[in-house]
Amino acid sequence: MLLHSREAAGFGRFLTVVLCIVFAFGHTVFSEGETEKVGAFFADKEHTNNWAVLVCTSRFWFNYRHMANTLSMYRTVKRLGIPDSQIILMLADDAACNPRNSRPAAVYDHPRKTIDLYGDNIEVDYRGYEVTVESFIRMLTGRVAPETPRNKRLLTDEKSNILVYMTGHGGEDFLKFQDSEEINSYDIADAFQQMWEKQRYREILFVIDTCQANTMFSKFYSPNILSIGSSEKGENSLSYFHDYDLGVSVIDRFTYYNLKFFETLDMSSKQTLADLVATYNHSLIRSHPGVRTDLFSRSLEKTYLTDFFGSVQNIELTREPFPIGRKSE
């Protein structure tokens, strides 16, 4: 029987743990108090898994920087512990294989070209013309065709924290896909509401780097969503680092200064979103980043960056041993 629902997925993980204990150790005996402790552990309201949805909506060589933005963020979340199995990477074009690329099979975010963002360890889940408004919405809401492979599915549940990062060309309340269609702020707002109703997330961090980016989260109305944008209404989000060898700009300013901060972090970091936001400097970014917190239940000072950009597993140690073993005959 195929299980598609959030309830089935969550129960499946719980059942797996229980069965592993039973089959490994035979009959297990818990007192009533110990059973309550086990139940409380599994009922913990903290998130238990992290996912990242990274979307470049632009195609064509002159939009190289948007692909570099997305691949730079991909490299960061992988370095901080989120595995490829929990990253959905959507690239509307493949700059690495573009015939104009003087550095074939490579993508860089700096003219010094010290780090190849493409490398040999990348998994692109949606590529080229697969990146559409429809495929993006279906992936978020879980409304995919039965034959859709696992790598194209967002297999989240009610304890998932999700980073959604988007970059491309946009305007007031819209973001262009493939230079041929648009997604608007209402579309994303309604998709997030469907996700909440279907218990597909615990918290979402929505980050967008585009012109007039802050308008893209103005219509959100679902709980537990924190939003960060690169520019105010009427403002452009500017590029950075023109590479004269490649003939294009290789990254956007907002994404660059975010990544510069992330390079100081590791998986054990206790830096918070408040620390990140405090680094935003208009004289460097050349636009006014915005942060929307009214839908989010925690303060930025109490929200670790690794709650979204990393994957740190919490382990609970008990002072009292559980009596796991075979019943005496």
Side-chain angles (χ1 to χ4, degrees):
M1 179 176 65
L2 294 177
L3 301 177
H4 297 290
S5 68
R6 184 275 316 162
E7 293 85 359
F11 179 74
R13 280 191 292 275
F14 173 78
L15 185 61
T16 300
V17 173
V18 173
L19 290 177
C20 286
I21 294 174
V22 172
F23 288 136
F25 298 99
H27 299 289
T28 303
V29 180
F30 293 114
S31 68
E32 183 176 346
E34 290 162 344
T35 301
E36 290 178 356
K37 288 182 181 179
V38 173
F41 178 81
F42 283 104
D44 187 3
K45 294 183 179 180
E46 291 188 4
H47 78 281
T48 60
N49 58 93
N50 290 64
W51 286 73
V53 177
L54 312 176
V55 187
C56 166
T57 65
S58 298
R59 65 183 303 104
F60 306 122
W61 175 250
F62 54 81
N63 292 318
Y64 182 104
R65 67 187 184 278
H66 295 152
M67 289 163 261
N69 288 346
T70 310
L71 290 171
S72 297
M73 196 63 68
Y74 172 78
R75 173 183 173 272
T76 296
V77 297
K78 283 189 68 174
R79 184 177 63 81
L80 294 178
I82 301 183
D84 268 315
S85 59
Q86 290 169 218
I87 299 174
I88 304 293
L89 179 59
M90 307 181 78
L91 295 180
D93 205 347
D94 192 352
C97 298
N98 192 296
R100 297 184 185 182
N101 191 352
S102 60
R103 299 296 182 94
V107 175
Y108 300 95
D109 61 1
H110 198 286
R112 288 199 296 264
K113 300 180 177 64
T114 54
I115 299 175
D116 178 7
L117 301 173
Y118 212 78
D120 57 0
N121 186 26
I122 179 175
E123 293 184 16
V124 183
D125 302 296
Y126 289 80
R127 184 189 301 273
Y129 288 111
E130 291 180 328
V131 181
T132 64
V133 173
E134 180 181 358
S135 64
F136 175 65
I137 295 295
R138 285 186 177 277
M139 179 270 299
L140 288 179
T141 59
R143 297 172 180 269
V144 295
E147 66 273 13
T148 302
R150 187 192 186 284
N151 70 302
K152 295 180 185 291
R153 295 175 182 261
L154 186 66
L155 301 175
T156 54
D157 56 36
E158 79 281 5
K159 291 189 177 182
S160 301
N161 275 10
I162 309 174
L163 165 67
V164 179
Y165 172 85
M166 304 185 75
T167 185
H169 288 292
E172 184 180 348
D173 285 309
F174 74 88
L175 180 68
K176 295 170 71 174
F177 270 67
Q178 304 276 5
D179 206 33
S180 62
E181 60 176 343
E182 300 169 354
I183 190 171
N184 63 50
S185 54
Y186 295 94
D187 295 329
I188 301 178
D190 291 342
F192 284 166
Q193 179 60 20
Q194 286 187 50
M195 293 175 70
W196 176 253
E197 291 174 354
K198 297 169 72 174
Q199 297 183 303
R200 288 177 58 80
Y201 75 88
R202 180 178 180 271
E203 293 174 332
I204 288 177
L205 173 60
F206 179 76
V207 181
I208 183 165
D209 189 350
T210 188
C211 297
Q212 307 190 63
N214 301 349
T215 63
M216 287 299 293
F217 49 76
S218 61
K219 305 304 185 294
F220 290 178
Y221 55 94
S222 306
N224 296 349
I225 300 178
L226 175 63
S227 305
I228 301 176
S230 61
S231 52
E232 292 180 342
K233 179 179 176 180
E235 242 181 4
N236 290 329
S237 185
L238 301 179
S239 62
Y240 200 31
F241 289 139
H242 187 83
D243 187 311
Y244 290 93
D245 177 31
L246 298 173
V248 290
S249 296
V250 293
I251 198 168
D252 283 317
R253 286 179 174 270
F254 175 74
T255 295
Y256 171 78
Y257 283 105
N258 276 281
L259 294 170
K260 185 176 180 180
F261 182 81
F262 283 125
E263 286 301 307
T264 66
L265 309 183
D266 58 28
M267 286 188 286
S268 62
S269 172
K270 297 300 182 183
Q271 296 274 40
T272 66
L273 276 162
D275 297 320
L276 173 64
V277 172
T279 66
Y280 293 163
N281 186 331
H282 169 67
S283 64
L284 297 175
I285 299 175
R286 308 282 178 85
S287 61
H288 294 86
V291 182
R292 183 179 176 187
T293 61
D294 60 300
L295 299 173
F296 198 62
S297 59
R298 294 189 285 162
S299 68
L300 298 184
E301 291 78 12
K302 295 183 179 180
T303 306
Y304 294 128
L305 287 167
T306 51
D307 285 349
F308 293 98
F309 291 92
S311 184
V312 180
Q313 299 298 323
N314 294 324
I315 299 175
E316 182 170 319
L317 301 177
T318 63
R319 296 180 179 275
E320 306 165 2
F322 286 105
I324 298 177
R326 295 185 181 278
K327 282 184 175 180
S328 57
E329 297 296 334

